[in-house]
Amino acid sequence: MKIDVLLGLQWGDEGKGKIVDVLAPQYDVVARFQGGPNAGHTLIFDGKKYVLHLIPSGIFRENTENIIGNGVVLCPLTLLNEISDLEKSGFNPRANLFISKKATLILPTHRMLDAAQEQSKGASKIGSTLKGIGPVYTDAISRNALRVGDILSDDFRSKYEKLKSYHLLQIKSLNFTDNIDLQEDTWFKSIEQLSKLKLIDTERYINKALDSGKKILAEGAQGTLLDIYAGTYPFVTSSVTTTAGVCIGLGVAPQKIGRVFGIFKAYVTRVGSGPFPTELFDDYGNKIGEIGKEFGSTTGRPRRCGWLDMPALKYAVNINGVTDLIMTKADVLCGFDSIKVAKFYALPNGNEIDYFPSEAIETVKPVYSNVQPWANFSDDISNDNLPKPLLDYIEFIEKETNVPVSIVSTGADRNQLIIRNS
Ligand code: GDP
Ligand code: IMO
Ligand code: MG
């Protein structure tokens, strides 16, 4: 068997959680391969809303196993809180949750260091989620990090103290004096609880599962334009969010990658700083934010909103090897009297390009085409008969990207969905 992938093609929050939850019954295993508690994946069913940060979005499906893979950075406090919230809601997340011994641990001082680094950057701050993501991936790459497997060793406490002292030195050198509650006691209690969960060698587990014919879906966090290498550097996250990240984050070979579901909104949003060519600063932008309820699932910050950006989408489709597109939130644009899409960028010298340039993206200006509006706000598009202008928009995207739009999500609920290509 091959492993399928679902990942974001924009700057995150494309609706990954919802779609993974919808697809999960078709899979034996759902596995997160990168990112950490910076992610916020929202699922809505039976009138209730759940937001997952670390636990994969297959957790609500009884017969689906869920793996937190090697490439994930794990905050034990967040994980245990998430487990406890799910238990309070009547679910049993411990039964089907497996955690890689190679996942990297986020220490309380990683969060503090994140805040210190952001403060020291002043106006050029990344706008990070302050979950410690940059500092913990830095430690992983510089070979100083602690991993989940370390919690089983006798000298874990002394390893912790050593890394903490190193962080405190860095924090001091940044002149950071804010009082952040490190919650160390609670952190160690959650480490204790973490050691009782099912800790596994992910690559062995996953490759065995594939060999025995099991179906696995890798769930991305963040989005392609936030990728550490391919994204709008330095305004990115610190992990590999693209399909390549599945190989390194779960330990599967490239030839074992199967279908790649690339998910995008009918428009674009971004939280935090960084270039965003099609960003809107007018009433249309405000209206998208309002109707689309565009507030961060992790930080609550308002998301910046703009029209769909084809050079960026084509770039993301290309580097991920997307085989199926999934479009979300077209319902949000119902009732808009004007909808636009950027097919090209104009460079400062006036030349037009149809690709996502590798540098100076902040200097390009979108060249818009009009899209025919598709419905009145009161119209319900959550049935199989999508309005003709919306179908035309979908066909335009398919033609530009050369990839079919296999699923159209028409609302936040699990059931609001149209499958066009099974
Ligand atoms: P993720 O990080 O990619 O999982 O996305 P988030 O959960 O952060 O943000 C997506 C938001 O859009 C959530 O509030 C979802 O409930 C909501 N959502 C997902 N799909 C749709 C859709 O098709 N229409 C509408 N209106 N909302 C959607
Ligand atoms: P999901 O999985 C949207 C953004 C932050 C910031 C930048 C770096 O829900 O789509 P970090 O804390 O990772 O160092 O922040 O990346 N960011 C996200 N934006 N959705 C996310 O995750 C994000 N995770 C990080 O806002 O701009
Ligand atoms: Mg999100």
Side-chain angles (χ1 to χ4, degrees), residues 54-320:
L54 274 168
I55 297 180
S57 303
I59 201 69
F60 296 101
R61 306 296 194 167
E62 234 174 274
N63 299 321
T64 307
E65 293 182 343
N66 290 269
I67 297 178
I68 295 179
N70 295 348
V72 173
V73 287
L74 186 152
C75 167
L77 275 173
T78 309
L79 179 65
L80 269 300
N81 282 337
E82 221 165 290
I83 290 176
S84 147
D85 286 349
L86 291 176
E87 285 173 341
K88 279 183 211 145
S89 299
F91 298 97
N92 179 18
R94 289 172 206 258
N96 276 337
L97 184 63
F98 299 82
I99 295 154
S100 170
K101 285 190 225 163
K102 290 184 181 145
T104 306
L105 282 177
I106 301 181
L107 271 55
T109 39
H110 280 127
R111 278 188 285 126
M112 203 167 171
L113 191 49
D114 201 353
Q117 289 176 348
E118 283 285 77
Q119 195 189 71
S120 76
K121 287 193 162 98
S124 55
K125 71 173 184 184
I126 308 296
S128 99
T129 57
L130 300 178
K131 302 291 178 190
I133 304 298
V136 71
Y137 275 113
T138 302
D139 278 350
I141 296 295
S142 62
R143 298 160 294 188
N144 291 310
L146 293 177
R147 306 211 283 190
V148 169
D150 287 315
I151 68 176
L152 305 173
S153 71
D154 292 338
D155 58 348
F156 177 67
R157 184 84 203 205
S158 73
K159 285 179 178 163
Y160 169 87
E161 293 297 340
K162 194 172 156 208
L163 188 53
K164 176 183 155 185
S165 311
Y166 174 57
H167 291 160
L168 291 176
L169 271 178
Q170 294 174 62
I171 290 163
K172 201 169 158 207
S173 75
L174 291 166
N175 296 319
F176 185 76
T177 49
D178 283 15
N179 221 352
I180 289 186
D181 181 4
L182 292 180
Q183 294 179 276
E184 269 184 305
D185 288 347
T186 335
W187 191 84
F188 272 99
K189 275 186 198 139
S190 46
I191 285 286
E192 176 67 32
Q193 290 206 48
L194 175 60
S195 68
K196 293 180 188 146
L197 296 175
K198 295 173 183 136
L199 308 184
I200 58 165
D201 295 335
T202 300
E203 49 279 80
R204 211 170 93 79
Y205 196 92
I206 287 202
N207 284 295
K208 244 175 99 177
L210 288 175
D211 288 347
S212 64
K214 288 196 172 163
K215 289 193 74 188
I216 305 183
L217 179 66
E219 173 181 3
Q222 290 76 58
T224 302
L225 304 178
L226 286 170
D227 179 271
I228 182 70
Y229 299 112
T232 46
Y233 192 89
F235 299 101
V236 293
T237 190
S238 296
S239 64
V240 178
T241 62
T242 46
T243 304
V246 175
C247 300
I248 55 175
L250 294 178
V252 292
Q255 69 268 30
K256 292 201 177 158
I257 301 288
R259 278 169 92 169
V260 179
F261 298 98
I263 182 164
F264 69 102
K265 284 178 185 167
Y267 48 90
V268 182
T269 62
R270 171 163 208 173
V271 213
S273 325
F276 180 176
T278 60
E279 182 169 11
L280 290 165
F281 299 96
D282 58 9
D283 283 351
Y284 286 104
N286 295 337
K287 212 168 138 186
I288 293 175
E290 222 172 273
I291 299 172
K293 301 196 184 90
E294 295 296 354
F295 293 92
S297 314
T298 298
T299 59
R301 290 177 293 175
R303 296 174 181 148
R304 301 153 63 193
C305 302
W307 298 125
L308 189 64
D309 178 335
M310 288 313 297
L313 188 65
K314 286 191 292 183
Y315 170 74
V317 164
N318 197 16
I319 59 177
N320 286 301

Side-chain angles (χ1 to χ4, degrees), residues 363-374:
T363 66
V364 305
K365 295 266 177 289
V367 180
Y368 287 121
S369 302
N370 287 318
V371 173
Q372 196 192 334
W374 46 78

